[in-house]
């Protein structure tokens, strides 16, 4: 590949991105977004104001109402939660940023559904749900005479669960026109408001009878009499959420019947009940999705509440300290990692072979194909010049191997400094992604014939590639590694995972083996005369092939644009695309002749500079890393002690095995495993026999130290269960924990 093209394209991209780094007021609007995507949900901020805003408070002096809401579309198998989440979970929370004189009401929660999981149950939503919120526009809202829209901001947090649970959040913004209608999503709001429970009038009664509640609800429509209803208490931890409908009352079952126009139910109380309310709001739902809400007065004497199932005092104190430290912007010191130990020669040899094979398979990745295809074009250009082939192959291989070693050294150095990095870490930077995408877009334009570097460069510079083919081939290898780094071919994962824990010499040898494996096919081809003879002779086909190769370049640019969209959102990707259009116009104009060249080029340059200043910051916008938080000190005398990396290292250093439960209060699978396998007498006896110390890492509140450990284990959510023993690899169990699996692993420790 033409090294000069690579360098000049990179310079152009860097200049445009550097100009775009200067913030302006306009960039704030471009940075706002009304949609957030994760692997589990798609969340959108919607508005419904069919009469506009100014016809309310701003026009008549009386309060007006418009509707906004967060719409969450779940991937199959995932769910979020109602106001009472049930046995586990957390309700979705919305924090609004509104102009003076505008107030947000409460969420108008649509009717929930019961989501049973083993012997537990949650209340929540699957599929698509809209959480509507009324905005009250008071007479104090006084927009200026030139104001055309109301700016609305939202910070939302939700918990999405399947077997594992993942806390997520998003920031949203939209501009609601004051005078024109906003009714595009009216159907969604009408459906959500129709799904609200109707209020029942009259006196509703709930009688406490021992460990059960006797419910009597009147005033329900005549059309639903005789139908079975589902019962949802708005107050958590009062009723047994997982109780099933039965024919007779039981410890885990409830019954219902109709006494004429009165619906009655006999429901067991929750064994974890810690409150004794005087009023109990209830929601009743039919099988076909109709619902009613009743405020019932509780009579009778409540039984003594159960002890509050709270976290340990040490952990609670640590979480409070974490919150205070986070608010102050501080963070704890992270213990330095243990010194890496060399692996046996046999293991290291197999790792080298795996790295070599993994590097070879990288050539099959789509992101590497454009670079290799242009190298094949270089074969044809040299014809039968075997010496040129061999020099090019050696230079390309040197560029690949040295780039792998440099990337590996940088990754190891940053990880040693405390950074949480993995292979392909450089593509976590929006700046690097934007530069690489711009590079491939420019190369694609050059191959397609939109411009030629020789048209606007001095002849001495334009012929550098021809005069320095070795440098050109070496830089081609550097570029190949740059685009291959996000790919992880088979056999690479184990080698890379091993490399980051090895001494520097062995780790860099593994990275060099990866590079040699990637370069090996091209190196072999450059030294085998049969390959050169198999290629067609130079001719007109080379121009066709050159233009055809523009499309893989554009495809790689599109892929990098998509990567940037995941980091900076749709606004960042759109801004970079607009900058590419301006750059393409400039490059095309520089290839023209006469005064037209400078006239159009000047306009294109000015237009590109304006775009870079106006929308360039959106390209580089990215999430800032959260501050580190402290860990709780271990509580002596308890079976389950708080987890910390220091505690694990201390126990392992004493020769004691460790079982870690990464859990959270809102994780239903965690609660199920905690009440079954982790409470199993045989499992606990086996742990005691093996002298296993049990630690619990509580992720109820976000903890960057726990998050880093989950990443190290290859997980992104809880539950995670891992057994650690001195001198042995960690044993990571399934999310649904089996007593047999735990006992087998414990038995293996003693053998």
């Amino acid at each position: 590949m033409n090294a000069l093209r690579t360098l000049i394209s990179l310079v152009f991209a860097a200049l445009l991105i550097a100009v775009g780094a200067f913030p302006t007021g306009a960039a704030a609007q471009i940075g706002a977004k009304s949609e957030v995507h994760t692997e589990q949900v798609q969340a959108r901020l919607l508005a419904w104001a069919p009469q506009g805003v100014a016809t309310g408070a701003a026009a008549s002096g009386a309060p007006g109402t418009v509707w906004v809401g967060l719409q969450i579309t779940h991937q199959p198998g995932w769910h979020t939660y109602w106001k009472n989440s049930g046995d586990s979970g957390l309700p979705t929370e919305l924090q609004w940023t509104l102009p003076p004189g505008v107030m947000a009401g409460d969420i108008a929660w649509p009717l929930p559904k019961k989501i049973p999981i083993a012997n537990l149950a949650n209340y929540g939503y699957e599929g698509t749900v809209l959480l509507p919120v009324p905005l009250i526009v008071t007479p104090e809202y006084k927009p200026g005479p030139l104001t055309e829209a109301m700016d609305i901001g939202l910070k939302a947090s939700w918990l999405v669960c399947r077997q594992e649970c993942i806390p997520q959040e998003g920031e949203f913004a939209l501009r609601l026109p004051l005078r024109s209608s906003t009714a595009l999503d009216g159907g969604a709001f009408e459906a959500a408001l129709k799904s609200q429970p109707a209020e029942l009038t009259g006196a509703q009664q709930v009688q406490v009878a021992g460990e059960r509640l006797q419910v009597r609800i009147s005033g329900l429509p005549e059309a639903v009499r005789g139908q079975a209803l589902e019962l949802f208490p708005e107050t958590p931890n009062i009723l047994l959420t997982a109780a099933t409908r039965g024919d007779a009352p039981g410890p885990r079952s409830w019954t219902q019947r109709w006494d004429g126009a009165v619906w009655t139910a006999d429901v067991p109380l929750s064994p974890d009940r810690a409150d004794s309310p005087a009023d109990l709001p209830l929601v009743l739902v039919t099988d076909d999705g109709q619902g009613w809400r009743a405020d019932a007065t509780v009579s009778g004497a409540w039984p003594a509440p159960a002890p509050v199932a709270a976290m340990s005092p040490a952990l609670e104190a640590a979480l409070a300290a974490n919150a205070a430290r986070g608010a102050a912007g501080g963070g704890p010191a992270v213990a330095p990692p243990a010194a890496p130990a060399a692996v046996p020669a046999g293991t290291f040899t197999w790792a080298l072979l795996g790295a070599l094979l993994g590097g070879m398979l990288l050539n099959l990745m789509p992101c590497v194909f454009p670079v290799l295809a242009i190298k094949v074009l270089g074969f044809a250009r040299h014809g039968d010049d075997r010496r040129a082939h061999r020099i090019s192959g050696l230079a390309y291989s040197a560029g690949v191997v040295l780039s792998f070693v440099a990337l590996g050294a940088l990754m190891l150095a940053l990880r040693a400094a405390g950074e949480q990095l993995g292979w392909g870490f450089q593509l976590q930077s929006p700046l690097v992604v934007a530069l690489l995408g711009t590079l491939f877009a420019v190369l694609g334009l050059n191959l397609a014939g939109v411009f030629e570097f020789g048209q606007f460069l001095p002849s001495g510079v334009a012929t550098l590639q021809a005069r320095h083919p070795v440098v050109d081939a070496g830089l081609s290898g550097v570029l190949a590694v740059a685009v291959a780094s996000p790919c992880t071919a088979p056999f690479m994962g184990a080698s890379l995972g091993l490399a980051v824990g090895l001494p520097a010499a062995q780790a860099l040898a593994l990275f060099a083996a990866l590079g040699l494996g990637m370069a090996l096919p091209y190196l072999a081809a450059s030294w085998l005369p049969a390959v050169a003879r198999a290629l067609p002779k130079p001719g007109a086909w080379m121009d066709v092939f050159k233009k055809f190769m523009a499309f893989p370049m554009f495809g790689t640019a599109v892929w990098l644009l998509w990567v940037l969209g995941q980091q900076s959102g749709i606004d960042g990707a759109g801004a970079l695309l607009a900058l590419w259009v301006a750059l393409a116009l400039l490059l095309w104009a520089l290839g023209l002749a006469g005064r037209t060249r400078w006239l159009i080029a000047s306009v294109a340059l000015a237009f590109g500079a304006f775009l870079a200043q106006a929308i360039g910051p959106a390209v580089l916008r990215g999430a800032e890393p959260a501050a580190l938080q402290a860990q709780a000190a271990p509580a002596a005398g308890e079976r389950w002690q708080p987890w910390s990396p220091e505690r694990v290292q201390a126990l392992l250093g004493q020769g004691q095995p460790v079982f870690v439960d990464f859990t959270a209060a809102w994780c239903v699978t965690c609660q199920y495993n905690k009440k079954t396998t982790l409470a199993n007498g045989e499992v606990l006896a086996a742990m005691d026999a093996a002298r296993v110390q049990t630690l619990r890492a509580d992720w109820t509140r976000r903890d960057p130290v726990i998050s880093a450990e989950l990443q190290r284990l290859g997980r992104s959510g809880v539950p995670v269960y891992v057994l650690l023993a001195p001198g042995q690899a960690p044993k990571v169990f399934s999310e649904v924990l089996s007593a047999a699996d735990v006992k087998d692993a414990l038995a293996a420790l003693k053998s």
Side-chain angles (χ1 to χ4, degrees), residues 420-446:
Q420 294 298 323
L421 297 175
W423 182 242
F425 66 94
Q426 69 276 18
L427 289 189
Q428 295 174 348
S429 166
L431 175 61
V432 174
V433 173
L435 287 172
L436 277 176
T438 303
L439 168 64
F440 277 92
V442 170
L443 291 175
L445 292 172
N446 175 251

Side-chain angles (χ1 to χ4, degrees), residues 207-298:
Q207 173 74 36
V208 181
E211 297 294 333
R212 304 185 71 84
L213 285 187
Q214 308 291 335
V215 182
R216 293 181 60 83
I217 304 296
S218 59
L220 291 165
E222 184 176 354
V224 301
R225 292 177 188 174
Q227 295 186 27
L229 305 179
E230 191 66 70
L231 177 64
F232 297 93
E234 291 188 357
T235 306
N237 296 326
I238 297 296
L239 302 183
L240 183 62
T241 305
T244 57
R245 285 187 282 190
D247 297 329
R252 296 191 60 83
S253 65
W254 67 289
T255 61
Q256 60 175 296
R257 62 186 177 86
W258 287 86
D259 288 340
V262 179
W263 181 81
T264 68
D266 186 316
V267 190
L269 294 176
S270 169
D272 299 323
R273 180 187 61 83
D275 195 10
S276 302
D279 296 291
L280 192 60
L282 302 170
V283 172
L284 305 176
V285 181
T286 63
D287 291 339
D288 61 359
Q290 301 180 71
W292 296 268
R293 183 181 183 277
D295 282 314
T297 302
V298 180

Side-chain angles (χ1 to χ4, degrees), residues 99-195:
V102 181
M103 300 183 300
D106 296 330
I107 298 174
W109 294 94
L111 296 172
K113 67 175 295 186
K114 191 173 184 178
I115 306 173
I117 301 179
N119 62 343
L120 302 176
N122 291 332
Y123 301 147
Y125 307 102
E126 298 174 323
T128 298
V129 64
L130 174 62
L131 305 179
V133 173
L135 296 185
I136 295 87
V137 185
T138 70
E140 283 71 32
Y141 175 61
K142 301 183 184 299
L146 300 180
T147 302
E148 298 181 351
M150 176 192 297
D151 292 316
I152 299 173
L154 169 64
K155 182 176 182 180
S157 60
W158 59 88
L159 181 68
V160 57
C161 294
R162 189 171 56 182
Q163 285 186 342
E164 67 274 27
C165 291
I166 302 175
Q168 296 177 345
E169 63 183 16
E171 294 190 10
F172 307 82
L174 60 79
R175 307 199 73 201
L176 189 61
L178 294 180
R179 297 166 184 84
S180 60
S181 173
T182 303
L184 181 62
D185 298 300
F189 280 93
E190 290 174 348
L193 296 176
K194 187 178 179 181
S195 181

